[in-house]
Amino acid sequence: MRYSPEHKQETHDRIVKKASVRLREKGAHGIGVADLMKEAGLTHGGFYAHFDSREALVIEAFGYAMDRSMEHWRKQSGQVAPEKQLSQIVETYLSTLHRDDPGHGCSIPSLGAEISRESPKTRKAFAGKLDEMIEMITDYIPNLPRKAARKQAIATLATMAGTMLLARIAGTGELSDEVLKAGKENALDAAKREPKLTAAKKLKQG
């Protein structure tokens, strides 16, 4: 049976979506192509009708996951005033809800360590999406010069992702909650401090 291009694209997208969840849950090598295709309701043999290699699927699934994270950030930030947007992202990111649902969360704490050992092509694709995330957070720090805001954005994202990684390592108990709280307070303090630092600097220059 010959399927329409639209049907093929829908199937392709379904495989990518399923893979993005399972990869974040089980890791880059925690699930095979056969299992991914089965979850998408397809046969193993149909895989190469959609992807040249497993690496191609992994790269696309990573990109999809990171795009969904940024889309979530846009929705969250759109609910508050500009000066509170970064704090809103920090609050939702460093939550028990995010900690307990890695399959639908940020790829960095779920897969970052594995990506660093992947092929140059995979690392390059991941780095490109990472840079998009940094630029997006930079946009939420409007009270600093762009270069300084980007530096702060990198530090904030590193704090968020590192905190989430440690919280998941600690499980779901008291230690995990303590890690989340400490990381959140640190990231929020930095987010709230920027306008004050800028105002002080302007006052000094004036």
Side-chain angles (χ1 to χ4, degrees), residues 41-206:
L42 301 164
T43 63
H44 187 187
F47 175 81
Y48 292 101
H50 296 276
F51 306 95
D52 293 332
S53 64
R54 186 180 190 281
E55 180 184 50
L57 170 59
V58 168
I59 290 173
E60 196 167 339
F62 285 160
Y64 175 88
M66 295 183 86
D67 284 343
R68 296 292 75 71
S69 290
M70 288 185 279
E71 182 181 316
H72 180 65
W73 292 355
R74 289 188 190 94
K75 289 180 179 179
Q76 289 294 322
S77 63
Q79 298 174 8
V80 297
E83 67 272 13
K84 296 181 179 179
Q85 289 178 329
L86 182 55
S87 294
Q88 178 74 2
I89 290 172
V90 172
E91 289 277 5
T92 56
Y93 191 103
L94 294 177
S95 64
T96 55
L97 181 64
H98 184 196
R99 180 196 64 193
D100 299 340
D101 189 19
H104 295 90
C106 179
S107 296
I108 300 175
S110 297
L111 298 163
E114 290 186 70
I115 293 299
S116 67
R117 294 189 289 270
E118 291 292 324
S119 69
K121 183 178 180 180
T122 301
R123 294 200 307 272
K124 183 178 180 180
F126 196 88
K129 288 297 180 182
L130 174 61
D131 190 57
E132 285 184 36
M133 282 187 159
I134 291 169
E135 283 295 296
M136 185 175 182
I137 294 176
T138 302
D139 290 338
Y140 294 135
I141 309 175
N143 298 297
L144 286 177
R146 188 71 185 183
K147 186 175 181 180
R150 181 176 167 86
K151 183 178 179 180
Q152 180 60 45
I154 293 172
T156 300
L157 182 56
T159 299
M160 290 162 56
T163 297
M164 184 54 62
L165 175 60
L166 292 179
R168 286 176 178 164
I169 290 172
T172 58
E174 185 176 333
L175 175 58
S176 182
D177 291 341
E178 183 182 10
V179 169
L180 278 179
K181 182 180 178 181
K184 184 186 296 186
E185 288 177 355
N186 186 281
L188 287 173
D189 283 347
K192 294 173 182 177
R193 193 164 59 238
E194 294 306 335
K196 295 178 182 178
L197 287 173
T198 305
K201 185 177 180 180
K202 287 182 179 179
L203 183 62
K204 184 177 179 180
Q205 289 176 341

